[in-house]
Amino acid sequence: MSKHSLNIAVKYGETLREFCDQSEAEDYYISYKDNLLNRLKAISTQSSAFFLDYTVESLKRLEKWYFDLYEKQSFGQVGLTQEEFESMMAVYWGEVIIKNNEDAEWVVEEYPFSQKKYELLVHKRFCGVSVVGKYHDLYHKQGNKRRNLLFREYNRYFAR
C-alpha cells in the first residue's frame, strides 16, 4: 500500500464511530441498519416514487427518487435530511445484496487501520464493502451521468 493510500485509509478510520468492543459495535450497527430500513419503508409507503421490494431493479428507482428530491431540494417534504436519505440508500443497497445472494451477510468488523473503530459491511465470499457513508453526496459522484450507480455497483461487486 502506498503512503498516499495509507493516509486515506487512516483518515477514513478517523471518521468511524468508536466502540468499547465488537459486541457494542454490532448492537449499534444492527439497530442502525434496521432503523433506517424501517424509516425508508415508512416514507416510501407515503410516496408513489419508490416501493421497497428488494429487487436489483429497485436500486434504479431509489436512485431516481433521490435525484428527484435533490433537484427539487425537497428532502424535507418526506421528513428527512439529504444525509439521512443517503444513509437509507446505503443500507437498502446492502439489504438488496443480502436478499439476492444467499451467501452474502451483514458483518461488523473492526477497521484495520484504527483501534476500536468499527464499520458495517456487506460481505460475500472474498468481497466486503462498507455501507456507512457509502452514498454520501451521490449527486457529486463522477461517472454517474446515467444516475444508476447503486445498480451498477451491485452488479460490479455482487452479481452472480
Side-chain angles (χ1 to χ4, degrees), residues 63-77:
E63 193 163 348
K64 181 186 181 323
W65 188 22
Y66 167 80
F67 278 104
D68 289 346
L69 292 170
Y70 175 76
E71 288 169 352
K72 296 173 185 168
Q73 291 299 299
S74 58
F75 290 100
Q77 290 179 356

Side-chain angles (χ1 to χ4, degrees), residues 34-124:
D34 291 345
N35 180 34
L36 289 176
L37 287 171
N38 287 333
R39 288 179 66 202
L40 180 60
K41 184 177 183 178
I43 65 167
S44 71
T45 59
Q46 300 170 5
S47 169
S48 61
F50 179 71
F51 174 74
L52 275 81
D53 63 7
Y54 301 101
T55 62
V56 178
E57 285 293 317
S58 71
L59 296 171
K60 292 178 184 178
R61 293 187 301 275
L62 178 59
E63 193 163 348
K64 181 186 181 323
W65 188 22
Y66 167 80
F67 278 104
D68 289 346
L69 292 170
Y70 175 76
E71 288 169 352
K72 296 173 185 168
Q73 291 299 299
S74 58
F75 290 100
Q77 290 179 356
V78 293
L80 301 170
T81 66
Q82 179 180 329
E83 185 177 81
E84 289 171 320
F85 195 93
E86 291 167 345
S87 296
M88 289 177 184
M89 284 193 315
V91 296
Y92 182 76
W93 178 79
E95 195 69 11
V96 167
I97 294 165
I98 301 299
K99 297 217 184 269
N100 289 280
N101 294 271
E102 62 186 38
D103 58 340
E105 62 183 339
W106 287 107
V107 295
V108 175
E109 292 182 354
E110 187 171 22
Y111 188 65
F113 298 100
S114 301
Q115 290 186 337
K116 298 195 180 244
K117 300 279 188 135
Y118 292 81
E119 60 183 339
L120 178 63
L121 304 159
V122 174
H123 189 267
K124 179 182 173 187

